[in-house]
Amino acid sequence: MSRFLRLSFRNADLPPLSCRVGRSGRVLDLPLIAWLTLIWVLLWSTFNLANIITGVVVASAVCLAFPLPPVDLGLRLHPWGIVRLAGYLLYDMYTSGVKVTRQIFAGTPHRAAVIGVPLRCRSDLMLAAVAVAVSNVPGGSVIEMRRATATVFLHVLDADRPEELEAARRQVWRLEELTVRAFGTADEIARVAEPPPPPQLTAGRPAP
């Protein structure tokens, strides 16, 4: 059976959530099989075991007869990394929200700034994921992502002292590390294990 059906978690050469069938090497995308099975059940309007089994058989036959080229998006799911990222985001959103609220009601003017933070990850998926994670935290917003240099440009509200700018950079690098450890490949995880770029490469400038 193992020679006829090989799952992705036992074969690193296969894309995630997929399996290889037979000696011909046809690769089946398991989420696609599940989606086609759901459509089959909805078309019959009857949710029972027989319809589900028939849907799986028909979906597999269609995918084997009309194979799509395997596409690896570079997405990996690391359960413990996802838990750590979710916990950090919830904590950071709470503390940052409290800080921004205090700044608003204090009435004291604060100096904003735009800073460029070079990232260590390089894949498009990880760059987008880091940008989304950073944008979810109050007190800073992504205004540009430069793919060629893997640099995220961030507008921060609190930039009265150089230490605050450095803290904003460290927060971006921390979110980058947690995001990659939750969804990145082994190569990307090895990248974020390295020290961040030198501070002199990430000078901030005051926002107009």
Side-chain angles (χ1 to χ4, degrees), residues 63-74:
C63 291
L64 288 173
F66 307 99
L68 295 174
V71 177
D72 186 1
L73 299 177

Side-chain angles (χ1 to χ4, degrees), residues 30-31 40-41 43 72 79 96 109 120 124 128 169 186 190:
L30 299 182
W40 175 270
V41 173
L43 287 174
D72 186 1
S96 299
R120 292 159 289 183
D124 293 344
R169 297 187 186 103

Side-chain angles (χ1 to χ4, degrees), residues 120-121 177 180-181 184-195:
R120 292 159 289 183
C121 58
E177 180 183 357
V180 172
R181 291 188 181 276
T185 62
D187 291 339
E188 293 287 355
I189 293 176
R191 280 182 176 272
V192 297
E194 300 175 357

Side-chain angles (χ1 to χ4, degrees), residues 40-112:
W40 175 270
V41 173
L42 292 176
L43 287 174
W44 284 95
S45 302
T46 304
F47 187 80
N48 54 44
L49 184 59
N51 262 349
I52 294 175
I53 295 176
T54 305
V56 171
V57 172
V58 172
S60 301
V62 169
C63 291
L64 288 173
F66 307 99
L68 295 174
V71 177
D72 186 1
L73 299 177
L75 178 66
R76 303 292 186 271
L77 300 180
H78 307 284
W80 176 237
I82 294 174
V83 171
R84 291 180 61 197
L85 175 63
Y88 184 85
L89 280 175
L90 290 174
Y91 172 78
D92 206 10
M93 284 189 289
Y94 171 75
T95 55
S96 299
V98 171
K99 182 179 179 181
V100 171
T101 303
R102 287 178 177 175
Q103 291 177 356
I104 294 174
F105 286 100
T108 305
H110 289 269
R111 182 186 183 189

Side-chain angles (χ1 to χ4, degrees), residues 1 5 20 61 88 95-96 139 154 173 178:
M1 183 66 179
L5 183 65
R20 178 171 293 165
Y88 184 85
T95 55
S96 299
L154 186 69
W173 286 325
L178 290 174

Side-chain angles (χ1 to χ4, degrees), residues 7-60:
L7 301 176
S8 59
F9 67 88
R10 293 185 177 180
N11 191 342
D13 296 331
L14 292 176
L17 301 177
S18 65
C19 65
R20 178 171 293 165
V21 180
R23 297 181 179 179
S24 61
R26 292 287 177 87
V27 176
L28 292 180
D29 188 0
L30 299 182
L32 177 60
I33 298 294
W35 175 247
L36 293 176
T37 302
L38 176 62
I39 294 176
W40 175 270
V41 173
L42 292 176
L43 287 174
W44 284 95
S45 302
T46 304
F47 187 80
N48 54 44
L49 184 59
N51 262 349
I52 294 175
I53 295 176
T54 305
V56 171
V57 172
V58 172
S60 301

Side-chain angles (χ1 to χ4, degrees), residues 120-164:
R120 292 159 289 183
C121 58
R122 288 295 182 269
S123 68
D124 293 344
L125 182 63
M126 287 299 102
L127 290 175
V130 172
V132 171
V134 173
S135 298
N136 283 331
V137 178
S141 57
V142 176
I143 59 176
E144 183 182 348
M145 172 66 76
R146 190 164 297 171
R147 180 177 179 273
T149 58
T151 303
V152 57
F153 291 90
L154 186 69
H155 180 271
V156 294
L157 297 177
D158 202 355
D160 296 324
R161 297 173 298 170
E163 294 81 5
E164 293 168 344

